Amino acid sequence: MLKKARVQTTLPAQDISRARSFYSTKLGLEPVEESATGLTYECAGSRFLLFPSQGKSSGTHTQIGFVVDNVEAEVSELKRKGLTFEEYNSPALKTVNSIATTESTKGAWFKDSEGNLLGVVQLL
């Protein structure tokens, strides 16, 4: 039943105008649709929705991941635009220059203006 359903990520935004500005200026994304339910963005055929919410994101887990060809280049560009990346140093996850490497991926994480934890990941 759900196997054929298209999946769309939804992210809460306490201030939709602030979130729109962040996604535009920091990530270079513009909504493809705007409605009372929120702002819909499209990246390479995938969609996600920023919706107005009174709730606040915990920011303790990755809520959306952007799969990229070169994580180092993306991290460098995003830092140039003023983003601060999360740094981790635990037995399970350690970042070096903001990037963690596993057997199958390289990844880096940052928070948007609303506290949502976003990731950029390169598949190895």
Side-chain angles (χ1 to χ4, degrees), residues 10-119:
T10 58
L11 300 173
Q14 289 185 318
D15 184 328
I16 200 77
S17 294
R18 177 179 61 204
R20 180 185 197 136
S21 177
F22 175 88
Y23 280 80
S24 177
T25 60
K26 301 295 185 185
L27 305 183
L29 301 175
E30 297 299 333
V32 294
E33 292 177 18
E34 184 173 355
S35 69
T37 59
L39 305 172
T40 301
Y41 293 85
E42 187 169 42
C43 300
S46 299
R47 289 180 163 223
F48 67 95
L49 173 73
L50 282 173
F51 68 95
S53 174
Q54 297 301 314
K56 184 176 180 185
S57 171
S58 70
T60 59
H61 64 281
T62 307
Q63 293 165 270
I64 190 170
F66 295 91
V67 178
V68 299
D69 292 330
N70 184 329
V71 75
E72 287 91 352
E74 292 293 335
V75 168
S76 178
E77 177 66 17
L78 293 169
K79 282 183 174 181
R80 190 182 67 71
K81 291 185 175 188
L83 289 181
T84 301
F85 281 79
E86 302 293 304
E87 298 293 342
Y88 300 100
N89 187 11
S90 71
L93 188 68
K94 178 175 177 58
T95 53
V96 176
N97 296 324
S98 305
I99 299 170
T101 302
T102 70
E103 286 184 23
S104 59
T105 62
K106 289 183 181 180
W109 297 265
F110 61 92
K111 291 186 179 173
D112 72 5
S113 62
E114 308 308 298
N116 297 302
L117 187 61
L118 312 180

